[in-house]
Amino acid sequence: MTPTGTPPSSSDPPPWPHCATGAWHGDPVGCRGRQIEPYPECLAHLREADRDRYLGYLGPRGYLDLRGTPFSESLLRQLLDALRDTATGQSRLAETRFDGAQFFGTARFDGAQFSDTEFGGAQFSDTEFGGAQFSGDARFAGAQFSGDARFYKAQLSGPADFAGAQFSGEAQFAGAQVSGTAQFGGAQFEKESLLGPLVCQGALVLTAARFGGPVTIEAAATRLVCERTRWDSTAALRLRYAAVDLSDAVVEYPLSVTAQAAAFHQSGRAMAEGELANSDPGLRIASLRGADAAHLVLHNVDLSTCMLSGTVHLDQLRLEGDCPFAPAPSGLHRRGLRLVRWTARRTLAEEQHWRQNQGWTGWMTAPDGVEVVEPAGLAPVYRQLRKSFEDSKNEPDAADFYWGEMEMRRHDHKRPRAERTLLALYWAMSGYGLRASRALGWLLGAMASTVLIMMLWGLPLDDPKPATTGRLTGQDISLITDNPDPVNPTGPLRSRLTSERWEKSLRVVVNSVVFRSSGQDLTTAGTYTEMASRLAEPVLLGLAALAIRGRVKR
């Protein structure tokens, strides 16, 4: 039976011997179906007797060329029945080409077995590939699905290519398994879609794909590539094993990316994950460069290798659960003759690349082709991440990103030298107001130094005793009390290190820390030392208190 409603062909004839049925001056090409040799017509336009004869001797066979052929439901059913293996009861299509074919009604390929099948540019209404098995490449590049496309429990043992395909109805891939790469680059999903749960032993590629309706993607794959992917509605990505690349993605509605802890289930049973089961099931974000993070929510994902520079609205990114960043190297590390111990904190992958590029050991090397970002470009990234944590009331964890921001400003040689010197002092004295131990260490050192200076030179030899003199004039007496100047201590320095002088010096220093005067008589050197102590030591105490408050603030 010839299908009705065959759409008009383009003005250019196809690159294969075609049927041309229905050609006229307004449509010189006519039917584009591949001729069935030795007949001049395609399978759809063969006379019924010729079609029955052709289908009668087909059986499960090798190469079958049905490009451009229009299929009605009954014609497709006749073809699949002719290709059915009597031993298994399943239709077997080996090296079959359906490029540009048109399927009217529901195209049911349930349980069919395919080997290196081409559906490139084919046009489908409702499509059923439930349980179908593709033992070679499955190519649907440029295919158009105007109705629902169901690949329920389909098994694709080779690469699956849906690049440029258009899904106007629901797209369902629940239970599908792909042994190679699943390519959906440039595909368009117009309505609500469910991709998965599916298992892909290679990458799941959604580059430049567009989702016009809500979508849920549940997949176990080595990589999920979403470069320039457009999300025009809400989306939820639940993934295992994958490294996710969201570079230049357009996110206009909330998009959540969640690590799936347990294996996906289908029909009440856990799906087999093949070789993936031998690797870490955790989820990693590879890049957010160029993406708009205003509507992005990440849950339990690893950000230790994520490229974040260039992300738009990074300050609005929401991180939930455990989202680790790359830690600073632990232990001692060398650069030339210098040995350093890095402060424990979370860092950006880009800072890791920059420090490794500067010759420091222990930091992560930039992957091939990844540009090393300089401190001037990393400071704003740290600033936006700090704001994101502060806006979520997570002040303690925001401190690490404040440290990173200040580090990048200190190492940015485009900034004035005076600013970098001030930042270096701020870092050395208190770890940018974040390391209480460092500020307290300097405070104790300053107090010990002040006590020693006071004992050696600051306290006078003896406490001056006021002397009162009087004059009697007639019946009047006038009294004058003089305070003699403190006498500088003399004798060997060791003789000045006594417990009495230590106690007096300590009293002076403790009062200086709380910005009070001890009332102790001091020499000139002691007076200036006390003035310096009353300026510096309260500042160090304040920096220590600020650091402690930053770590315990709610």
Side-chain angles (χ1 to χ4, degrees):
M1 179 180 66
T2 302
T4 59
T6 303
S9 62
S10 65
S11 58
D12 296 327
W16 55 78
H18 66 290
C19 175
T21 296
W24 60 296
H25 70 275
D27 179 13
V29 176
C31 176
R32 304 170 66 85
R34 177 71 161 83
Q35 293 176 356
I36 300 296
E37 297 179 355
Y39 308 103
E41 297 92 358
C42 68
L43 183 63
H45 293 107
L46 278 176
R47 291 182 303 171
E48 187 171 349
D50 293 335
R51 184 187 307 118
D52 291 342
R53 186 179 304 108
Y54 173 75
L55 294 175
Y57 72 81
L58 271 183
R61 57 177 293 174
Y63 185 75
L64 188 62
D65 191 347
L66 297 170
R67 289 176 288 178
T69 302
F71 283 89
S72 63
E73 289 187 33
S74 62
L75 179 60
L76 179 60
R77 185 164 54 250
Q78 292 178 53
L79 174 65
L80 295 178
D81 287 342
L83 297 173
R84 197 173 304 278
D85 188 338
T86 57
T88 63
Q90 295 178 311
S91 301
R92 295 177 58 185
L93 296 88
E95 297 185 65
T96 305
R97 301 198 65 174
F98 288 98
D99 310 49
Q102 299 149 19
F103 296 86
F104 301 94
T106 301
R108 291 185 172 88
F109 291 90
D110 307 65
Q113 298 180 352
F114 298 90
S115 176
D116 292 329
T117 307
E118 293 272 3
F119 285 91
Q123 300 178 21
F124 298 89
S125 294
D126 289 339
T127 311
E128 297 279 357
F129 282 90
Q133 300 178 21
F134 295 82
S135 60
D137 294 351
R139 301 183 181 92
F140 290 83
Q144 298 182 23
F145 299 85
S146 59
D148 295 343
R150 299 182 180 92
F151 289 79
Y152 179 76
K153 289 190 176 180
Q155 298 184 20
L156 300 94
S157 59
D161 187 359
F162 288 83
Q166 298 184 20
F167 297 85
S168 298
E170 279 191 52
Q172 298 184 4
F173 289 80
Q177 297 201 17
V178 184
S179 296
T181 296
Q183 174 65 256
F184 289 87
Q188 298 188 29
F189 301 83
E190 297 298 335
K191 294 186 178 180
E192 182 175 354
S193 302
L194 174 62
L195 268 66
L198 60 87
V199 175
C200 182
Q201 299 298 324
L204 176 57
V205 181
L206 298 174
T207 299
R210 178 179 174 272
F211 293 90
V215 61
T216 299
I217 299 177
E218 297 180 335
T222 58
R223 290 190 302 134
L224 175 62
V225 183
C226 296
E227 295 182 7
R228 305 187 307 281
T229 303
R230 186 179 185 91
W231 315 85
D232 293 337
S233 187
T234 56
L237 278 58
R238 304 185 185 102
L239 307 167
R240 286 170 59 79
Y241 302 102
V244 183
D245 188 349
L246 289 167
S247 300
D248 300 312
V250 180
V251 183
E252 297 185 357
Y253 288 84
L255 169 64
S256 64
V257 182
T258 304
Q260 176 78 14
F264 293 108
H265 282 66
Q266 187 64 37
S267 301
R269 300 181 61 183
M271 296 180 62
E273 296 178 330
E275 295 182 0
L276 289 175
N278 299 323
S279 54
D280 180 7
L283 181 61
R284 305 169 301 284
I285 304 297
S287 176
L288 292 178
R289 286 184 171 179
D292 190 336
H295 301 289
L296 187 59
V297 182
L298 304 180
H299 185 76
N300 285 345
V301 301
D302 186 350
L303 296 169
S304 60
T305 59
C306 182
M307 303 292 103
L308 290 171
S309 59
T311 304
V312 182
H313 295 141
L314 187 58
D315 59 321
Q316 299 180 39
L317 174 67
R318 286 179 54 190
L319 301 178
E320 299 180 353
D322 183 18
C323 296
F325 287 79
S330 59
L332 291 174
H333 293 271
R334 180 184 300 275
R335 183 188 183 189
L337 298 178
R338 294 175 57 189
L339 287 176
V340 296
R341 183 187 297 275
W342 300 103
T343 300
R345 62 183 176 94
R346 288 172 292 182
T347 67
L348 296 179
E350 287 97 332
E351 182 186 349
Q352 297 261 341
H353 302 162
W354 173 76
R355 289 193 182 274
Q356 176 68 29
N357 195 50
Q358 295 297 306
W360 291 104
T361 61
W363 297 87
M364 185 166 47
T365 304
D368 293 338
V370 174
E371 179 185 1
V372 176
V373 183
E374 294 297 318
L378 292 178
V381 181
Y382 273 114
R383 186 180 308 119
Q384 292 184 67
L385 275 176
R386 172 175 61 86
K387 184 177 183 299
S388 174
F389 277 78
E390 291 174 347
D391 290 346
S392 61
K393 308 302 180 183
N394 190 352
E395 296 279 353
D397 289 340
D400 281 351
F401 300 101
Y402 175 70
W403 179 292
E405 176 190 352
M406 302 302 283
E407 277 285 278
M408 295 301 99
R409 290 175 57 188
R410 181 166 70 92
H411 289 288
D412 182 7
H413 292 282
K414 297 178 182 178
R415 293 182 177 272
R417 181 181 296 274
E419 177 183 347
R420 290 189 287 116
T421 301
L422 182 62
L423 289 172
L425 291 174
Y426 192 24
W427 164 77
M429 300 299 291
S430 65
Y432 305 116
L434 298 175
R435 298 296 182 262
S437 59
R438 189 174 300 186
L440 289 174
W442 279 105
L443 175 61
L444 292 176
M447 292 175 65
S449 300
T450 305
V451 168
L452 182 61
I453 292 173
M454 287 294 182
M455 292 176 67
L456 295 177
W457 300 286
L459 296 178
L461 181 63
D462 293 304
D463 290 334
K465 295 180 174 53
T468 302
T469 58
R471 176 180 295 177
L472 178 62
T473 304
Q475 296 182 349
D476 296 328
I477 299 177
S478 60
L479 299 176
I480 300 175
T481 302
D482 291 328
N483 288 319
D485 293 334
V487 179
N488 290 329
T490 58
L493 295 179
R494 291 188 60 182
S495 65
R496 306 175 194 179
L497 302 178
T498 63
S499 59
E500 180 182 0
R501 291 175 67 84
W502 177 84
E503 181 181 357
K504 292 180 180 180
S505 299
L506 181 62
R507 191 181 304 118
V508 172
V509 172
V510 170
N511 280 279
S512 296
V513 171
V514 295
F515 214 73
R516 293 175 52 188
S517 175
S518 64
Q520 172 69 46
D521 290 315
L522 301 173
T523 64
T524 301
T527 300
Y528 284 107
T529 300
E530 183 188 37
M531 292 171 59
S533 175
R534 290 178 65 183
L535 287 175
E537 290 167 6
V539 172
L540 293 172
L541 181 62
L543 290 174
L546 179 65
I548 295 174
R549 179 178 179 274
R551 288 299 181 184
V552 300
K553 184 178 179 181
R554 294 181 181 179

